[in-house]
């Protein structure tokens, strides 16, 4: 019996160690990690450079209040804004916090620009579990038990320009999107849709905000997913992959949108150890050419999974960008395929109920991708057979 709240539907495995693409359970069994902590471990487990950077910083300075400046924090902010090509950064501890800061920034700007307070977000989106990020999340079933939520969030279907044009008006502070909806089933937004969103925001005086918590840090083959689209947001959030597994969030905004003294804060945000971990992560991604690897391995993975779906007689296709990949397995259950993958020695996750999601480290190689595809083919064929049996029973 666990003393933890039963928040997560957990697979019956206790993981004790990780090394590169592999994790090991308490019985010593190895798994190829195609979950990667759900897009959190871009350079793989226990990368020696990352371990050395964290250990060195832990022995030097772990915490001082943000009332004093530290070198790792200043360096990380400079690095991130340099990679983005604009802005100033606020550092926090999670995706929800990075989005909470983003939503507060948007509110500040909107109030100063004609009292705009509304945020337009997408149906099926996921932005976090705090009250404001939950309100921004376009999944009513997640709202209902916690009502009332903060007001001022409206949701429109993704990739529908007319629906967006119908709601962005003089009360809109921002349009908030994930460039690829992650938890919502790995659904990329089309370039045309993003261009239209940028244009509508510019014409109607709203900000364009990107939630890059899952898509950022090379996941989609560019440092930030927006860099693979025709648009640049006014503000965006990062978290998951940034420190390769230590808790961090970042909100990067055009300089004129930045918080002033006293408007926002975090005790632990941007601490020296996590910033050293993030700097080491960015160094490894750069030095090992992992952006190009994410793009190439993502293509290989999608092509392989498409072939496996066809062979299993499943009508679905794969979706995604870089190494954020979803394979739609309906009418089979994604949970069944994920369980079948675990039996075969692979970790993966579900997304949106009908898709199996693969978010391996960006260090993944061709042999591992091919091994995953083969295991997926077996698990999908098994699940498709069960779905057929269920339908005819
Ligand atoms: C796009 C997106 N935004 C926000 C979050 C929330 O991040 P966290 O769980 O770190 O609060 C997630 C987490 O899955 C996410 O995928």
């Amino acid at each position: 019996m666990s003393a933890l709240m039963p928040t997560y539907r957990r697979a019956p495995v206790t993981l004790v160690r990780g090394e590169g693409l592999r994790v090991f359970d308490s019985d010593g069994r190895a798994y190829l990690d195609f979950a990667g902590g759900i897009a959190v471990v871009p350079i793989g487990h226990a990368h020696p450079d990352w371990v050395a950077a964290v250990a060195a910083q832990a022995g030097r300075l772990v915490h001082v209040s943000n009332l004093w400046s530290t070198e790792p924090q200043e360096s990380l902010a400079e690095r991130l804004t340099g990679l983005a090509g604009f802005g100033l950064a606020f550092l926090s501890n999670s995706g929800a916090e990075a989005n909470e800061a983003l939503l507060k920034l948007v509110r500040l700007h909107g109030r100063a620009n004609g009292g705009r307070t509304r945020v337009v977000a997408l149906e099926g989106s996921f932005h976090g579990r705090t009250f404001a990020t939950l309100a921004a999340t376009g999944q009513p079933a997640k709202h209902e038990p916690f009502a009332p939520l903060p007001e001022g969030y409206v949701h429109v279907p993704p990739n529908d320009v007319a629906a967006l044009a119908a709601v962005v008006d003089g009360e809109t502070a921002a349009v908030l999107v994930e460039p690829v909806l992650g938890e919502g089933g790995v659904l990329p937004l089309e370039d045309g849709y993003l261009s239209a969103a940028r244009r509508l925001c510019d014409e109607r005086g709203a900000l364009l905000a990107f939630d890059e918590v899952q898509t950022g840090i090379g996941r989609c083959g560019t440092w930030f997913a927006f860099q693979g689209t025709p648009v640049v947001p006014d503000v965006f959030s990062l978290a998951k992959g940034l420190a390769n597994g230590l808790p961090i969030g970042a909100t990067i905004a055009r300089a004129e949108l930045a918080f002033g003294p006293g408007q926002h804060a975090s005790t632990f945000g941007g601490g020296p150890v996590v910033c050293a971990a993030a700097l080491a992560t960015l160094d490894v991604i750069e030095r090992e050419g992992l952006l190009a690897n994410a793009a190439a391995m993502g293509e290989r993975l999608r092509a392989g999974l498409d072939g496996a779906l066809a062979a299993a007689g499943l009508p679905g296709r794969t979706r995604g960008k870089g190494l954020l990949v979803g394979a739609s397995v309906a009418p089979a259950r994604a949970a069944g395929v994920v369980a079948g993958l675990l039996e075969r020695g692979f970790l993966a996750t579900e997304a949106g109920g009908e898709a199996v999601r693969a978010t391996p480290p960006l260090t993944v190689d061709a042999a591992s991708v091919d091994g995953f595809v083969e295991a997926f083919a077996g698990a999908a064929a098994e699940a498709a057979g069960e779905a057929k049996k269920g339908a005819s029973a």
Side-chain angles (χ1 to χ4, degrees):
M1 230 349 229
S2 171
L4 288 165
M5 292 191 193
T7 322
Y8 306 100
R9 272 184 288 276
R10 284 191 158 137
V13 169
T14 298
L15 299 169
V16 295
R17 188 169 70 82
E19 190 184 320
L21 299 174
R22 284 185 171 67
V23 289
F24 299 84
D25 71 13
S26 46
D27 297 326
R29 184 175 182 208
Y31 301 83
L32 260 178
D33 187 4
F34 271 67
I38 315 187
V40 172
V41 194
I43 62 170
H45 297 280
H47 192 291
D49 294 7
W50 184 96
V51 173
V54 169
Q57 188 59 49
R60 192 178 301 132
L61 182 70
V62 172
H63 184 80
V64 291
S65 162
N66 274 315
L67 293 174
W68 293 276
S69 122
T70 64
E71 280 171 9
Q73 187 181 100
E74 292 290 345
S75 301
L76 181 60
E78 202 176 309
R79 191 79 176 273
L80 288 173
T81 54
L83 292 172
F86 70 96
L88 295 174
F90 178 83
L91 297 173
S92 54
N93 310 285
S94 68
E97 281 179 67
N99 283 336
E100 193 80 24
L102 178 152
L103 293 167
K104 284 179 72 177
L105 273 186
V106 156
R107 174 70 59 83
L108 265 184
H109 182 262
R111 277 169 55 97
N113 283 276
R116 295 161 175 264
T117 56
R118 191 176 301 139
V119 171
V120 177
L122 298 181
E123 291 173 7
S125 61
F126 184 78
H127 298 296
R129 302 279 187 169
T130 61
F131 273 110
T133 58
L134 191 57
T137 291
Q139 300 185 43
K142 289 193 166 72
H143 293 176
E144 205 228 322
F146 301 103
L149 298 185
E151 292 171 6
Y153 295 87
V154 296
H155 297 93
V156 291
N159 286 327
D160 182 340
V161 175
L164 189 64
V167 297
V168 177
D169 60 18
E171 293 182 14
T172 307
V175 172
L176 170 64
V177 301
E178 293 162 82
V180 180
L181 279 75
E183 304 300 308
V186 191
L187 178 72
L189 295 181
E190 292 154 11
D191 281 355
Y193 180 77
L194 290 171
S195 297
R198 181 71 272 178
R199 197 181 58 247
L200 282 168
C201 286
D202 291 344
E203 286 171 3
R204 301 181 188 179
L207 298 174
L208 181 60
F210 273 23
D211 176 343
E212 293 237 24
V213 165
Q214 188 155 166
T215 57
I217 314 299
R219 179 60 41 194
C220 295
T222 48
W223 282 110
F224 312 115
F226 78 78
Q227 292 166 329
T229 77
V231 307
V232 178
D234 300 297
V235 51
F236 68 101
S237 54
L238 296 169
K240 284 174 173 280
L242 178 50
N244 206 53
L246 286 182
I248 189 166
T251 307
I252 295 169
R254 285 196 349 243
E256 64 272 27
L257 304 176
F259 291 122
Q263 285 184 322
H264 199 55
S266 166
T267 293
F268 291 115
V273 175
V274 75
C275 288
L279 286 163
T281 304
L282 299 176
D283 282 345
V284 171
I285 292 175
E286 203 161 77
R287 203 177 51 246
E288 297 188 5
L290 299 184
L291 301 182
N293 194 57
M297 289 301 117
E299 252 176 55
R300 188 180 184 100
L301 182 56
R302 279 198 302 279
L305 294 177
D306 272 333
L309 286 171
L314 290 167
R317 300 268 314 161
T318 60
R319 302 182 293 252
K321 234 180 191 179
L323 284 170
L324 176 50
V325 173
S328 176
V329 296
R333 286 173 50 250
V337 181
V338 167
L341 280 163
L342 186 73
E343 277 169 26
R344 290 165 173 81
F346 290 84
L347 302 189
T349 56
E350 291 176 59
E354 49 77 58
V356 173
R357 175 175 37 178
T359 47
L362 309 185
T363 50
V364 75
D365 54 69
S368 301
V369 166
D370 297 348
F372 180 79
V373 167
E374 196 184 321
F376 176 88
E382 205 170 270
E386 272 160 29
K388 235 185 239 155
K389 254 193 274 165
S392 60

